[in-house]
Amino acid sequence: YRIFTDGDYTQVYIQNEQFVFRRRSEKGQLTAIFNIADHPVHMDFNAEVEEGIDLITKKKQTFDGGIDMPEKSVSLVYTDWVK
């Protein structure tokens, strides 16, 4: 996925043990979500997209109502503009 290196970079959500950034290009958006805490967390943030596909689990991820992240986890969600 070229989205890992192409497009703009924006920090979306920053806490001591949680971090979300996005990369956006004319082809799509990558939303990278990290939880390094020793416990699960719920994060509310504006991803500026409704949903995408988690590139690790290959499952659909929606952002409506925030996202629940397990302890010490990462989620890389890709939203394709061109379908």
Side-chain angles (χ1 to χ4, degrees):
Y1 293 91
R2 293 194 54 112
I3 195 70
F4 283 99
T5 57
D6 293 351
D8 70 349
Y9 168 87
T10 303
Q11 293 179 350
V12 177
Y13 182 93
I14 303 171
Q15 296 294 318
N16 286 342
E17 298 180 313
Q18 293 80 37
F19 180 63
V20 178
F21 72 85
R22 75 165 183 255
R23 291 197 70 105
R24 182 179 280 176
S25 74
E26 69 281 349
K27 294 184 179 180
Q29 174 175 306
L30 173 72
T31 307
I33 309 153
F34 301 88
N35 176 27
I36 64 168
D38 291 331
H39 52 84
V41 297
H42 178 83
M43 292 188 278
D44 287 309
F45 58 88
N46 183 2
E48 296 188 12
V49 293
E50 293 180 16
E51 62 186 38
I53 298 297
D54 187 308
L55 298 178
I56 298 170
T57 66
K58 305 297 185 205
K59 294 181 181 177
K60 180 178 171 181
Q61 174 65 57
T62 61
F63 293 108
D64 185 36
I67 186 170
D68 293 317
M69 293 291 290
E71 63 187 40
K72 299 196 182 290
S73 62
V74 62
S75 182
L76 302 172
V77 180
Y78 182 69
T79 304
D80 192 354
W81 307 146
V82 185
K83 296 186 179 192

